[in-house]
Amino acid sequence: CKSVTHIPTPMIPDVSIIVPCYNVAAYVDSCLESLVRQTLRNIEIICINDGSTDDSLQVVEELAAADSRIQVYSQTNQGLSMARNAGITHAHGRYIYFMDSDDLLEKDAMELCYNKCEEKELDFVFFDAQSFFEEDIRNAPVLNYQRTDKLENKVYTGPEAINIQLQHKTYTPSACLNVIRTAFLEERQLLFYPDIVHEDQLFTTLLYLQARRTSCIQRSFFHRRIRKNSIMTCDFSLKNLKGYLTVTQEIVKFKQQTSENKIKDTIDLYLS
């Protein structure tokens, strides 16, 4: 009889880290270095080059050549939402994490988040952050990413967890502060709204409102860089206003579609 050759099944990554890149040649190497050094080794790092006009693509391709876990895809410039959505289509991991390409991540972040999600069967886990500033930054926003100290080390429903943060005025919607079960995203068909700023306000709020099981880790895993010419430090404009209005309209639409009074009350608190 003929011998049968068994082809090994490819290992499913524990976490897919999605990194949109747009004109971040000066920063993306440090970002990716903090990712390849993660103590959780079974990860994939998906870089979406969103039509960069600087050397970002060259930098990430050189890093990808040195580490097979880094994948690089390019598209015409479509904005952060579409770059993240493109990353989701390429993700194979059990969990998804969205990383900004000019920021840094503590080396044990993915391991601790993955282990907690698996142990507690979570839809997502969330954590804190801290900011660091480049020189000569003026009029930088004062942002507080410390909110987990208001929560207990237990499993909440998403609405319960966001309610506590809203009541203490500590809620921050950054997508970079959550590790999310991929099957949950697919089940809820949760994507980023295209062509707006403040897209995290919508994505993360809908994430909480629909989650059945979530919990936190009281650590500042994420290090946010405050720099010139970023979305966070640009002057408020009509585009910002359009983003906030779109978020409000979509949240109100979600409220109209739900029959749960507790979720409706949470939405009212959020919008207020």
Side-chain angles (χ1 to χ4, degrees):
C1 61
K2 295 182 180 179
S3 61
V4 178
T5 302
H6 294 281
I7 300 174
T9 303
M11 183 178 292
I12 298 174
D14 293 329
V15 181
S16 298
I17 304 177
I18 296 172
V19 189
C21 302
Y22 177 69
N23 290 352
V24 285
Y27 309 105
V28 69
D29 56 342
S30 297
C31 168
L32 293 184
E33 183 178 351
S34 76
L35 300 182
V36 300
R37 289 184 175 180
Q38 288 296 301
T39 55
L40 184 69
R41 303 303 297 169
N42 183 29
I43 61 174
E44 61 178 358
I45 302 166
I46 302 169
C47 296
I48 305 295
N49 173 46
D50 189 38
S52 295
T53 56
D54 67 355
D55 293 331
S56 295
L57 179 59
Q58 179 182 343
V59 172
V60 296
E61 285 183 335
E62 289 176 358
L63 293 168
D67 193 319
S68 61
R69 297 174 300 169
I70 301 176
Q71 307 163 29
V72 182
Y73 303 92
S74 288
Q75 62 184 32
T76 57
N77 180 248
Q78 299 175 52
L80 182 58
S81 288
M82 295 303 287
R84 285 173 171 168
N85 290 344
I88 292 172
T89 66
H90 293 293
H92 299 96
R94 293 182 178 86
Y95 297 87
I96 285 179
Y97 175 63
F98 299 101
M99 180 71 182
D100 284 349
S101 53
D102 54 353
D103 298 320
L104 304 173
L105 195 66
E106 301 241 336
K107 66 180 182 179
D108 57 349
M110 291 298 97
E111 181 178 10
L112 294 179
C113 287
Y114 174 80
N115 288 342
K116 182 145 192 177
C117 284
E118 288 286 283
E119 177 188 350
K120 301 296 185 181
E121 299 181 335
L122 303 179
D123 294 323
F124 75 100
V125 67
F126 58 98
F127 46 86
D128 291 332
Q130 60 187 32
S131 300
F132 66 102
F133 295 80
E134 289 195 335
E135 295 180 1
D136 301 325
I137 290 291
R138 297 178 181 177
N139 301 321
V142 178
L143 300 172
N144 180 17
Y145 295 113
Q146 303 297 314
R147 69 259 169 81
T148 61
D149 60 346
K150 306 298 183 184
L151 292 131
E152 299 177 42
N153 182 24
K154 69 175 190 179
V155 176
Y156 295 90
T157 67
E160 287 172 343
I162 192 175
N163 245 313
I164 294 170
Q165 295 172 66
L166 289 170
Q167 289 166 3
H168 288 90
K169 302 187 187 308
T170 58
Y171 176 60
T172 180
S174 172
C176 300
L177 305 183
N178 315 288
V179 174
I180 310 165
R181 185 163 53 87
T182 306
F184 175 77
L185 284 183
E186 294 172 346
E187 173 191 330
R188 300 297 179 175
Q189 298 182 323
L190 188 54
L191 295 168
F192 289 88
Y193 196 98
D195 199 30
I196 62 168
V197 293
H198 309 302
E199 64 287 317
D200 285 4
Q201 291 275 359
L202 179 58
F203 177 90
T204 305
T205 303
L206 291 178
L207 174 69
Y208 273 94
L209 291 176
Q210 298 179 82
R212 295 176 293 269
R213 296 180 63 83
T214 186
S215 189
C216 67
I217 297 177
Q218 295 177 328
R219 282 272 303 278
S220 295
F221 288 136
F222 185 66
H223 294 246
R224 166 143 280 161
R225 184 190 304 269
I226 307 298
R227 62 180 176 87
K228 291 180 179 179
N229 302 318
S230 71
I231 293 174
M232 293 179 61
T233 54
C234 288
D235 291 336
F236 193 91
S237 68
L238 187 61
K239 190 170 186 179
N240 297 90
L241 183 58
K242 176 190 172 185
Y244 280 127
L245 288 173
T246 301
V247 169
T248 301
Q249 290 168 351
E250 292 298 314
I251 293 290
V252 169
K253 186 186 302 182
F254 183 85
K255 178 184 175 182
Q256 293 169 344
Q257 294 170 349
T258 185
S259 59
E260 297 185 37
N261 289 330
K262 287 185 178 180
I263 291 180
K264 289 182 178 182
D265 292 341
T266 299
I267 290 172
D268 288 341
L269 180 59
Y270 168 75
L271 292 177
S272 71

